[in-house]
Amino acid sequence: MPAPASDTRTQVVVVGGGPAGLLLSHLLHISGIDSVVIDTRTAELIKSTHRAGILEPGSVRLLTDSGASDRVLTDGHEHEGIALRFAGRSHRIDFQELLGESCRLYPQTDVFADLHRTRTRDGGDLRYGISDTVVSNVLDAPVVEYVDASGERHRVRGDLVVGADGSRSICRSLVTGASQHFREYPFGWFGVMVEAPASAPELIYARAPEGFALISQRTDTIQRMYFQCDPNENPQSWSDDRIWEQLHSRLSGDDGFELKEGPVIERSVLPFRSFVQTPMRHGKLLLAGDAAHTVPPTGAKGLNLALADVRVLAELIECAIGRKDDTALDSYTERALARVWKAQHFSYWMTTMLHRQDGTSDFDNKRQLGELQTLVSSEAGSTYLAEGYLGWPHH
């Protein structure tokens, strides 16, 4: 086999150049640790793929305090609460009143753009648009090989390799003897982007006999909305009128709420899945974000969990490499999964409380309504929801 076109030596190879991989590279750079980031997608493709995002206050502080982003404060929309809507009426959960904290509506696309700009500014070694990635020798001296856009093969050697390569991770399978925990859901979300003014200043989570709906915001003129659907639904077969009919049926009520309509400019179906793989470390390979765990989007935990993984991982890598502590990485799985399982529970709870499931009895439907009524009428119940949504700020 011919020699690779380049053979790079670095301290950490990061497979996956999304927000998690870029933030890890940024935090390592601050600690004086070199890294190389690779991704099969181009940076332009990631920047043009619209993905929603709710950032917990801890995630906002991590991005701002590390110097990764200041736009999250200037361009991110501060949300001091959410609304739970059921039986035709909305009930506000006031995060500021309950916990003195807020979340921010800031798309994952913008988080990526900020991090990519920061790493580029700081001279980060970022390699996008590659293919045929092979990761090997993770127990001893990790090696990552790939082919660039021109067809040339390259090799990167590192002290550690981090798999931050998403839910279709190639690194995940290298963790031998791992346990995998799944939960599949019989429904998904039909997501649309629409040209319309905002229907509400904050997110509305609606539960109706027809199923779940979520009203979110994007800009002053573009909004994002979702409703529960069959995960095998073909979004392209739906007309605008049919989409609006579904949304209106789930948001209708007698409290004066008005759903603002407009042209549908994007539509897709998002299947639901809960997944955890443990351990998140194998030798000198570590997993972060969706490579190790995924959650339903109901509780807005996905990106926040990835950033939380990275925060812990950056600290431990700095101890392992910067301070020569060979045992530092031993605690990674336990520390990361302590938060992951709490988030799994919160996401599952929000999902099962708000979605209609085929075959459920009238008893179960009324029980769901009783649970929602208990939450909005009890300060303890509302506080529990607020703590989970904001990422347990009291910790």
Side-chain angles (χ1 to χ4, degrees), residues 242-259:
R242 187 182 177 195
I243 290 170
W244 286 113
E245 180 184 2
Q246 285 293 319
L247 286 165
H248 278 291
S249 71
R250 298 165 196 222
L251 274 299
S252 63
D254 58 3
D255 60 350
F257 172 75
E258 181 184 357
L259 184 62

Side-chain angles (χ1 to χ4, degrees), residues 106-308:
Y106 195 64
Q108 293 188 37
T109 312
D110 290 356
V111 175
F112 170 81
D114 293 347
L115 287 163
H116 187 267
R117 182 172 54 252
T118 298
R119 290 304 294 129
T120 301
R121 178 201 67 196
D122 294 340
D125 191 340
L126 312 178
R127 308 181 185 186
Y128 287 87
I130 59 95
S131 62
D132 300 323
T133 307
V134 177
V135 180
S136 60
N137 208 25
V138 297
L139 292 178
D140 183 25
V143 176
V144 178
E145 295 184 284
Y146 66 89
V147 175
D148 68 17
S150 65
E152 292 190 307
R153 190 168 59 88
H154 300 263
R155 179 181 298 142
V156 185
R157 307 172 188 270
D159 298 319
L160 298 170
V161 59
V162 175
D165 48 340
S167 59
R168 295 182 176 87
S169 171
I170 64 166
C171 296
R172 178 193 300 152
S173 62
L174 301 176
V175 181
T176 59
S179 297
Q180 294 187 333
H181 309 275
F182 298 89
R183 175 172 288 277
E184 303 288 347
Y185 296 83
F187 45 75
W189 277 4
F190 195 119
V192 295
M193 292 265 279
V194 302
E195 291 183 353
S199 297
E202 297 170 338
L203 272 68
I204 300 175
Y205 289 79
R207 186 262 185 211
E210 296 81 6
F212 170 80
L214 171 62
I215 304 303
S216 182
Q217 301 78 28
R218 185 67 173 82
T219 69
D220 290 341
T221 58
I222 302 294
Q223 315 307 323
R224 186 178 288 276
M225 304 178 187
Y226 304 89
F227 59 87
Q228 178 182 347
C229 70
D230 187 299
N232 299 311
E233 193 69 62
N234 176 12
Q236 304 311 316
S237 68
W238 282 61
S239 66
D240 286 16
D241 287 344
R242 187 182 177 195
I243 290 170
W244 286 113
E245 180 184 2
Q246 285 293 319
L247 286 165
H248 278 291
S249 71
R250 298 165 196 222
L251 274 299
S252 63
D254 58 3
D255 60 350
F257 172 75
E258 181 184 357
L259 184 62
K260 306 291 180 62
E261 290 192 26
V264 176
I265 57 177
E266 182 181 300
R267 65 198 77 200
S268 61
V269 170
L270 176 66
F272 273 30
R273 188 187 190 211
S274 296
F275 168 77
V276 178
Q277 174 168 304
T278 182
M280 293 171 61
R281 176 201 175 191
H282 182 60
K284 297 186 176 181
L285 166 69
L286 303 112
L287 303 177
D290 286 357
H293 45 75
T294 57
V295 292
T298 320
K301 296 289 106 181
L303 176 59
N304 292 290
L305 275 183
L307 300 185

Side-chain angles (χ1 to χ4, degrees), residues 307-367:
L307 300 185
D309 284 352
V310 166
R311 176 169 44 207
V312 173
L313 191 52
E315 172 194 328
L316 298 179
I317 290 176
E318 197 277 330
C319 290
I321 293 179
R323 304 180 194 176
K324 311 297 183 184
D325 182 354
D326 294 335
T327 66
L329 298 175
D330 294 346
S331 66
Y332 174 56
T333 293
E334 182 179 0
R335 286 182 60 182
L337 287 185
R339 182 183 178 92
V340 167
W341 280 115
K342 288 176 71 174
Q344 288 286 1
H345 165 69
F346 180 75
S347 299
Y348 171 82
W349 172 65
M350 287 279 286
T351 299
T352 54
M353 178 173 61
L354 291 166
H355 288 74
R356 178 182 58 79
Q357 299 194 46
D358 292 338
T360 56
S361 66
D362 184 59
F363 173 89
D364 290 322
N365 290 326
K366 293 187 183 305
R367 182 202 57 77

